[in-house]
Each structure stands twice: as structure tokens, then as C-alpha cells.
């Protein structure tokens, strides 16, 4: 009797990077579908930045001094870069709350039982939050145009520079969502994630050049504001939008805001993604 030997088919080795990307996109799709089925998440996310635009424009406009000007129009154009940056960073709180909610409901444990890349759950969540942040920025830019914001109000700009400014804003928002991811993995409830997220977000956004000219601050506070990563992105956007408030400070981030914004955001992603994924692995080990 002759034996028939079947040649075993050896499955090609899976590229870890491509597998991680595919897994991340699956999780991102899941979160985007979830967001689309709960439209109030997007609606409420839009109300706060729109309120900031209206309140700061009409309540504080004309009483704020930008350089030597107290013009309400100058302040309006000065303000919008700060409002845009604040909006993308405040998405951190909802990101952290969403991850904490998934942990609380045991969804992370279910993901753990699947053959997927360990960091894909958090990466997918941050990608989904980035898409939501992008949609929010589009709506907010339209509202800003309606209240009178204009690019090129203090110099020359072009479409490429404007798109680059929004790209820096999205990069900053993506970087900060990793901080939110780490917070979400470190607390027990979504409420705690939201509260702990806002506690540090308010100092970061208000001790900055977002709403006031830092030249009017006391020296020690001005130095903190000028080296704030948030301020670098705001200043970069003002330069690219050609809006008032382009700083004459000697601080390196204010002299090279575009490079400072890129460096800060990339460093935040690298550091906090590493910490968040490590926390995820230890939490589900």
C-alpha cells in the first residue's frame, strides 16, 4: 500500500504592522458607527465651542488689547486660532471617558479574547476621535466665518498655509487624545475620566496665548505660557492664517511656532501612546 502525503500549506507570516493597522481600522469603524447612532454625542460636542466663539467674540471683543489695538475685529481674528486649538484639546475628555466606559462595561476584556494587536483598541479609538474632531473643526470654522473671522487679516496667506494650520490642529488634537487614553485606562469610571481630564485641560488652555496677549502677563506666567505646547500650535495657526497676535517674544516656540508645534505634538504622541498601551497591557494581563 502506498502512502499519499499531502503537502501542508504554510500560511504566510502576518506582517505585525499591517495587522495592527487593520485591527485599528476595525476598532475605529466600530466607534464611528457607534457615534453615528448616538448623534447627540456630536451635537453636544459642537455646542460648547460655538458658545465660546459667540461669548468671547461679543462679550470680550473690544475690551481686550492685542498689541496696541483694542479693535473688536482684531480680537475676533486673534481669538479664533485659540478657540480652534481649545476645541481639539477638549476632545481629550470625551476620549478618556469613552475608554473608561469600555473598560467599565467589560468591552476591553472581550477585545482581549480576540486575536488582535494589543495597541489596536486604543489606536482605533483615537482615530475615531480624530475623525469626530475634524468634523467639529469644519463646523466651527463655518461659524467663525459667519461671525466675521477672516484669514489674511494681518498679512498674506494662501490655501496651503490654511490647510497646514488645520493639519497642525488635528495633530495636536490627536496627540492629546492619547493623554485622554492614558487617563481612561487609569480610572475606574467614565465620570472620573471626564473630571480628571478637565482638571488639567483648563490650566493648559488658559495659561497660554489662546485668549489674551501674553505680553500683558507677569513675567513668570508669560514664560510658562510661551513654552506651553498648546501655545505653540495657537501661534503657528496665527502665523499660517496671517491673523493678528503674531508674537515678538524671544522664546524659541514663539519664534519657530510651526516647528515647535510639530515637535511637541509628535513627542506627546510617542510618550503617551507608549504609556497608554503599556497600561492597557498591564490592565488586561
Amino acid at each position: 500500500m502506498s502512502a499519499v502525503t499531502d503537502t501542508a500549506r504554510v500560511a504566510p507570516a502576518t506582517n505585525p504592522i499591517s495587522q495592527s493597522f487593520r485591527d485599528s481600522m476595525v476598532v475605529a469603524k466600530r466607534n464611528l458607527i457607534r457615534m453615528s447612532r448616538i448623534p447627540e454625542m456630536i451635537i453636544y460636542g459642537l455646542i460648547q465651542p460655538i458658545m465660546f466663539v459667540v461669548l468671547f467674540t461679543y462679550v470680550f471683543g473690544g475690551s481686550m488689547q492685542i498689541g496696541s489695538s483694542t479693535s473688536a475685529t482684531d480680537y475676533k481674528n486673534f481669538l479664533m486660532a485659540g478657540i480652534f486649538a481649545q476645541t481639539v484639546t477638549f476632545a481629550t475628555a470625551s476620549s478618556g471617558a469613552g475608554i473608561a466606559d469600555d473598560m467599565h462595561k467589560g468591552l476591553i476584556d472581550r477585545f482581549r479574547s480576540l486575536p488582535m494587536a494589543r495597541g489596536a483598541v486604543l489606536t482605533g479609538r483615537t482615530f475615531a476621535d480624530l475623525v469626530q474632531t475634524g468634523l467639529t473643526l469644519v463646523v466651527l470654522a463655518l461659524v467663525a466665518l459667519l461671525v466675521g473671522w477672516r484669514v489674511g487679516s494681518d498679512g498674506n496667506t494662501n490655501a496651503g498655509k490654511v490647510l497646514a494650520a488645520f493639519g497642525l490642529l488635528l495633530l495636536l488634537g490627536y496627540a492629546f487624545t492619547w493623554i485622554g487614553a492614558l487617563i481612561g485606562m487609569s480610572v475606574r469610571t467614565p465620570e472620573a475620566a471626564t473630571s480628571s481630564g478637565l482638571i488639567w485641560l483648563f490650566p493648559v488652555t488658559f495659561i497660554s496665548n489662546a485668549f489674551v496677549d501674553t505680553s500683558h502677563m507677569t513675567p513668570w506666567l508669560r514664560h510658562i505660557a510661551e513654552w506651553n505646547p498648546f501655545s505653540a500650535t495657537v501661534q503657528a495657526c496665527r502665523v499660517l492664517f496671517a491673523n493678528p497676535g503674531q508674537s515678538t517674544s524671544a522664546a524659541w516656540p514663539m519664534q519657530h511656532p510651526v516647528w515647535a508645534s510639530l515637535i511637541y505634538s509628535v513627542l506627546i504622541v510617542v510618550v503617551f501612546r507608549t504609556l497608554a498601551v503599556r497600561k492597557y497591557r498591564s490592565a488586561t494581563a
Side-chain angles (χ1 to χ4, degrees):
M1 179 181 293
S2 59
V4 179
T5 304
D6 293 328
T7 303
R9 294 182 179 180
V10 179
T14 303
N15 187 329
I17 296 177
S18 61
Q19 179 184 354
S20 179
F21 178 77
R22 287 195 300 269
D23 293 343
S24 298
M25 291 303 99
V26 169
V27 177
K29 181 179 178 181
R30 172 256 174 192
N31 281 284
L32 289 172
I33 292 174
R34 178 172 175 266
M35 290 175 186
S36 67
R37 291 175 178 172
I38 313 176
E40 55 266 30
M41 292 175 61
I42 300 175
I43 294 172
Y44 292 146
L46 289 171
I47 290 175
Q48 179 178 308
I50 291 174
M51 287 178 60
F52 271 107
V53 169
V54 175
L55 289 174
F56 274 84
T57 298
Y58 295 108
V59 175
F60 296 104
S63 61
M64 293 289 189
Q65 186 173 350
I66 307 303
S68 59
S69 172
T70 56
S71 165
T73 300
D74 285 347
Y75 183 68
K76 188 184 303 178
N77 289 316
F78 169 89
L79 172 69
M80 291 309 163
I83 294 291
F84 292 151
Q86 184 195 50
T87 299
V88 300
T89 54
F90 269 44
T92 302
S94 62
S95 178
I99 292 173
D101 187 50
D102 288 345
M103 286 284 292
H104 184 68
K105 292 179 178 177
L107 183 63
I108 298 295
D109 291 332
R110 291 197 290 272
F111 277 132
R112 183 194 172 202
S113 67
L114 300 175
M116 62 190 302
R118 287 295 189 188
V121 174
L122 300 182
T123 302
R125 174 74 202 201
T126 56
F127 278 166
D129 290 335
L130 181 63
V131 172
Q132 183 178 359
T133 300
L135 295 174
T136 303
L137 267 183
V138 170
V139 174
L140 192 58
L142 293 175
V143 173
L145 290 171
L146 289 175
V147 300
W149 171 66
R150 296 293 181 270
V151 298
S153 58
D154 198 43
N156 295 321
T157 189
N158 54 51
K161 290 182 178 180
V162 172
L163 291 176
F166 282 110
L168 289 176
L169 288 167
L170 289 174
L171 180 59
L172 179 71
Y174 182 70
F176 273 54
T177 55
W178 279 108
I179 302 178
L182 179 60
I183 293 173
M185 294 297 303
S186 303
V187 298
R188 296 183 179 181
T189 65
E191 294 79 9
T194 302
S195 300
S196 58
L198 293 176
I199 285 173
W200 67 270
L201 275 173
F202 274 103
V204 167
T205 54
F206 280 91
I207 304 177
S208 72
N209 59 356
F211 308 112
V212 296
D213 187 346
T214 57
S215 64
H216 302 300
M217 294 181 178
T218 56
W220 67 269
L221 193 61
R222 182 173 69 247
H223 293 316
I224 294 174
E226 290 172 346
W227 285 89
N228 184 347
F230 180 83
S231 295
T233 298
V234 173
Q235 187 64 26
C237 289
R238 288 189 182 126
V239 170
L240 295 171
F241 289 148
N243 281 160
Q246 298 178 30
S247 178
T248 58
S249 168
W252 188 85
M254 297 297 99
Q255 289 294 314
H256 307 87
V258 174
W259 280 109
S261 176
L262 283 170
I263 293 170
Y264 276 137
S265 294
V266 170
L267 282 176
I268 292 171
V269 171
V270 171
V271 171
F272 283 93
R273 186 186 188 279
T274 302
L275 294 175
V277 172
R278 184 179 299 172
K279 186 73 176 178
Y280 171 82
R281 288 173 176 169
S282 64
T284 58

